[in-house]
Amino acid sequence: MAVTLHLADSEATVALGRALASILSGMHAPPALLLQGELGSGKTTLVRGFVESLPGADMAEVSSPSFNICNLYPTEPRVAHFDLYRLEGMEPDDALFDCLEDPATITVVEWIQYLPRKYWPDEAIFLEWTPSDTGRSLVLHAMGGMAQQALDALRTRREPHQEEQ
């Protein structure tokens, strides 16, 4: 079952990232986060909230990895942040697939629409930003049982700036 949220502002987007980090960092083999949205929709803002709430984040500078494709953050657990924007039409190298298969790494992929669906992991939360007159609208889809558990946990800890629709 999907969860649809309205995020009023960047603060709400950061708070959602923190909530997801709290949930996923406690899981043995957390699902990947697959992000789809237009430029400026809030993808990197969500990742910043996610990473900055984890232990070790004081050594991490979160930015969009558009030019180097991947940022690895020295957090606990480790976060691999991929941006596939510049790979439109090309396949990523094996580093993405290695991270997706590593249960000790939480993998976040921006611009997931540029990766053919056949390569998407079985366990993932697909976050789809949609146009909104105010703030940001976001639909979170669970792909797999662990992802559904994470969304169920998220539903019970909704932040004040997030309105479930």
Side-chain angles (χ1 to χ4, degrees):
M1 177 188 299
V3 173
T4 301
L5 299 174
H6 180 266
L7 305 173
D9 51 26
S10 293
E11 183 180 315
T13 305
V14 168
L16 176 60
R18 288 182 180 137
L20 285 167
S22 175
I23 293 164
L24 297 186
S25 65
M27 299 177 87
H28 171 66
L33 295 177
L34 309 178
L35 314 180
Q36 178 177 309
E38 296 301 316
L39 285 169
S41 62
K43 298 179 300 293
T44 303
T45 301
L46 181 124
V47 175
R48 185 170 21 93
F50 188 95
V51 170
E52 289 177 352
S53 68
L54 295 172
D58 54 330
M59 301 298 292
E61 184 177 330
V62 178
S63 63
S64 179
S66 294
F67 295 102
N68 56 345
I69 311 300
C70 178
N71 289 336
L72 294 175
Y73 301 116
T75 54
E76 186 56 44
R78 182 174 82 151
V79 174
H81 179 197
F82 290 85
D83 184 324
L84 305 183
Y85 184 74
R86 293 171 34 118
L87 294 183
E88 184 176 4
M90 301 182 302
E91 289 190 21
D93 65 23
D94 290 339
L96 171 61
F97 303 112
D98 292 344
C99 288
L100 286 171
E101 294 173 6
D102 181 0
T105 299
I106 299 175
T107 303
V108 181
V109 184
E110 292 191 42
W111 299 96
I112 190 61
Q113 64 267 36
Y114 294 137
L115 182 68
R117 188 86 180 215
K118 67 182 178 181
Y119 296 122
W120 290 21
D122 293 333
E123 283 290 340
I125 301 173
F126 172 49
L127 294 90
E128 181 179 19
W129 276 262
T130 57
S132 176
D133 292 337
T134 61
R136 297 171 167 109
S137 292
L138 180 63
V139 181
L140 295 88
H141 306 270
M143 299 168 55
M146 295 298 286
Q148 187 60 58
Q149 288 178 21
L151 286 189
D152 291 343
L154 180 67
R155 209 181 245 117
T156 64
R157 62 183 342 167
R158 217 171 44 241
E159 300 291 326
H161 301 290
Q162 300 163 3
E163 305 162 21
E164 190 165 348
Q165 298 178 328

